[in-house]
């Protein structure tokens, strides 16, 4: 999925990282985790790791 997103962004001349959107998603998912009794910081750590790998793959697509 990350590669498909990277291809879409490349074809539409979009930035790989959209900071505002990323912040919104990170905050929303962390809040949802807390509402479900999960540790908010744990969810934040998971989301950051997933995002970093997604960005790495998208940059690879956009730069080729």
């Amino acid at each position: 999925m990350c590669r498909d997103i990277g291809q879409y962004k490349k074809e539409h001349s979009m930035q790989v990282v959209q900071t505002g959107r990323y912040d919104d998603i990170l905050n929303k998912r962390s809040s949802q985790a807390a509402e479900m009794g999960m540790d908010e910081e744990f969810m934040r750590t998971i989301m950051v790791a997933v995002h970093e790998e997604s960005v790495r793959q998208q940059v690879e697509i956009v730069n080729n």
Side-chain angles (χ1 to χ4, degrees):
M1 184 178 284
C2 297
R3 293 186 168 283
D4 291 342
I5 292 168
Q7 187 62 41
Y8 179 88
K9 289 179 179 178
K10 181 177 184 174
E11 291 170 1
H12 293 89
S13 300
M14 297 172 68
Q15 293 181 347
V16 170
V17 177
Q18 298 172 2
T19 307
R21 177 154 168 70
Y22 172 66
D23 290 342
D24 290 344
I25 291 170
L26 187 59
N27 291 331
K28 184 173 183 176
R29 297 300 177 252
S30 296
S31 295
Q32 288 174 324
E35 290 171 8
M36 296 174 64
M38 295 176 67
D39 181 71
E40 198 170 330
E41 194 56 37
F42 170 76
M43 181 55 68
R44 195 171 282 275
T45 299
I46 298 283
M47 294 298 295
V48 167
V50 169
H51 184 258
E52 286 175 359
E53 178 59 16
S54 176
V55 167
R56 187 192 68 76
Q57 289 188 27
Q58 290 178 46
V59 166
E60 187 176 290
I61 295 290
V62 168
N63 289 336
N64 289 327

